[in-house]
């Protein structure tokens, strides 16, 4: 086996592992969404729910994250290290703004009288918090991997011939983006 064949096999293996992980995350969210749908028939379901405006901002931020991560991947594939650096830092900043907006959205929910636990809570708000929090946990994994990618980029481990780490990070980030958009649309239209 040549070095190139080994590199291609390793790349396929890592991508397959990532796809399996994303598939299991999708199944977890599908289960929660199914429970949400089934629970909607309960009498204590929330009425006249107003979606927090911060969730709109967070959605915009995570879409921009996918764009900047994609641009970072394209830049490193052209050996444009300076553009890669800029796009990776932009991705990190936008990812952090997504997290900030999510917490702002939780704050807006509480100010509107929707609580996760306690006597004022109901099953619908609990589902909303669980879905958003689980997505944040997965995003934390994405942010940690992004920090590792940035570190490796500064150690000059990526170039046009070796961009697997950035590719895997971009795939995962696009998945998080797609997942959040699906959850956002679901929660917005199925309240």
């Amino acid at each position: 086996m040549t070095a190139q064949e080994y590199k291609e096999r390793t790349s396929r293996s890592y991508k397959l592992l990532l796809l399996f992980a994303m598939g299991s995350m999708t199944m977890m969210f599908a289960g929660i969404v199914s429970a949400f749908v089934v629970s909607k028939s309960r009498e204590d379901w929330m009425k006249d729910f107003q979606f927090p405006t911060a969730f709109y901002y967070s959605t915009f931020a995570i879409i921009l994250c996918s764009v900047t991560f994609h641009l970072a991947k394209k830049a490193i594939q052209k050996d444009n290290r300076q553009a890669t650096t800029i796009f990776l830092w932009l991705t990190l900043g936008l990812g952090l703004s997504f997290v900030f907006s999510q917490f702002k959205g939780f704050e807006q929910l509480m100010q509107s009288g929707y609580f996760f636990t306690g006597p004022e809570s109901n099953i619908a708000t609990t589902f909303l918090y669980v879905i958003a929090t689980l997505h944040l946990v997965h995003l934390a994994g994405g942010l940690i991997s992004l920090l590792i990618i940035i570190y490796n980029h500064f150690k000059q481990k990526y170039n046009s011939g070796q961009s697997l780490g950035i590719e895997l990070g971009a795939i995962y980030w696009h998945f998080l983006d797609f997942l959040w958009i699906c959850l956002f649309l679901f929660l917005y239209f199925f309240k």
Side-chain angles (χ1 to χ4, degrees), residues 29-40:
F29 279 103
I32 294 169
V33 166
S34 296
F36 186 93
V37 170
V38 169
S39 298
K40 189 173 181 194

Side-chain angles (χ1 to χ4, degrees), residues 16 96 117 159 185:
L16 186 60
L96 292 172
T117 61
N159 56 48
L185 292 173

Side-chain angles (χ1 to χ4, degrees), residues 38-182:
V38 169
S39 298
K40 189 173 181 194
S41 63
R42 293 172 52 118
E43 288 188 26
D44 63 344
W45 198 256
M46 62 183 158
K47 307 287 187 251
D48 301 324
F49 173 69
Q50 296 298 316
F51 217 63
T53 56
F55 284 177
Y56 296 102
Y57 296 120
S58 66
T59 302
F60 183 68
I62 202 165
I63 289 170
L64 286 178
C65 277
S66 270
V67 171
T68 56
F69 218 141
H70 176 75
L71 292 173
K73 181 181 88 166
K74 289 299 182 191
I76 198 65
Q77 289 172 340
K78 293 177 183 173
D79 283 322
N80 187 341
R81 297 193 56 73
Q82 183 179 8
T84 304
T85 301
I86 291 168
F87 290 129
L88 287 174
W89 283 115
L90 280 171
T91 304
L92 180 62
L94 288 165
L96 292 172
S97 70
F98 174 85
V99 172
F100 175 78
S101 296
Q102 290 287 290
F103 282 107
K104 199 71 172 159
F106 291 156
E107 183 181 311
Q108 290 173 350
L109 283 171
M110 288 186 273
Q111 289 171 349
S112 299
Y114 299 112
F115 297 95
F116 179 58
T117 61
E120 297 92 8
S121 70
N122 67 37
I123 191 69
T125 55
T126 301
F127 271 118
L128 181 63
Y129 279 102
V130 166
I131 289 170
T133 301
L134 281 173
H135 188 266
L136 278 173
V137 167
H138 290 98
L139 186 78
L143 288 170
I144 290 168
S145 69
L146 179 57
L147 289 170
I148 292 167
I149 289 167
I150 290 171
Y151 174 79
N152 286 337
H153 173 65
F154 281 108
K155 298 291 272 181
Q156 299 191 6
K157 291 188 177 184
Y158 302 123
N159 56 48
S160 60
Q162 171 49 32
S163 61
L164 181 62
I166 293 178
E167 287 178 42
L168 292 172
I171 290 169
Y172 184 68
W173 208 273
H174 296 325
F175 167 74
L176 290 174
D177 184 3
F178 177 75
L179 183 63
W180 174 252
I181 290 170
C182 289

